[in-house]
Amino acid sequence: MVLHRATVAALVALGTLWAAVLVVGGAMVSTLGGSRWPGLGSASVLAGLTAVAAGEFVFLAVVGNRLFPASRRTLLGVGELMLGGALVLGAIGTVAALLAAGA
């Protein structure tokens, strides 16, 4: 039982760190990307928002499922579906914005 709790604690800690890096990095790219790379204005905003959606998805999938295993599966499914859809749409939008910018 102690090994199981240690494993869950390690997964929660690593999942939280992974999600935090994605969210903070995405926020930085979204806000500072236009000034660092002027030719990629809208693409950097879309890429940053996509990274934020990826961080939220990772947190929900890795940390949320471990800390609340008895939660309603339909609620988690809807949340994962919405964040996964935002991730896919953001990636497609980023590629389209990069192609439109000629990068």
Side-chain angles (χ1 to χ4, degrees):
M1 187 55 110
V2 173
L3 183 61
H4 175 71
R5 286 186 181 174
T7 303
V8 169
L11 282 172
V12 166
L14 289 174
T16 301
L17 180 64
W18 183 16
V21 167
L22 281 169
V23 169
V24 172
M28 288 179 65
V29 167
S30 182
T31 57
L32 301 175
S35 63
R36 297 266 183 181
W37 304 288
L40 306 177
S42 63
S44 65
V45 172
L46 285 171
L49 293 177
T50 303
V52 170
E56 296 294 329
F57 180 82
V58 165
F59 189 79
L60 178 65
V62 175
V63 178
N65 288 340
R66 298 291 187 273
L67 292 180
F68 303 104
S71 60
R72 291 181 53 190
R73 195 64 225 162
T74 55
L75 183 63
L76 285 174
V78 168
E80 289 174 355
L81 185 65
M82 289 177 61
L83 288 170
L87 179 62
V88 169
L89 289 175
I92 291 170
T94 301
V95 170
L98 284 172
L99 291 175

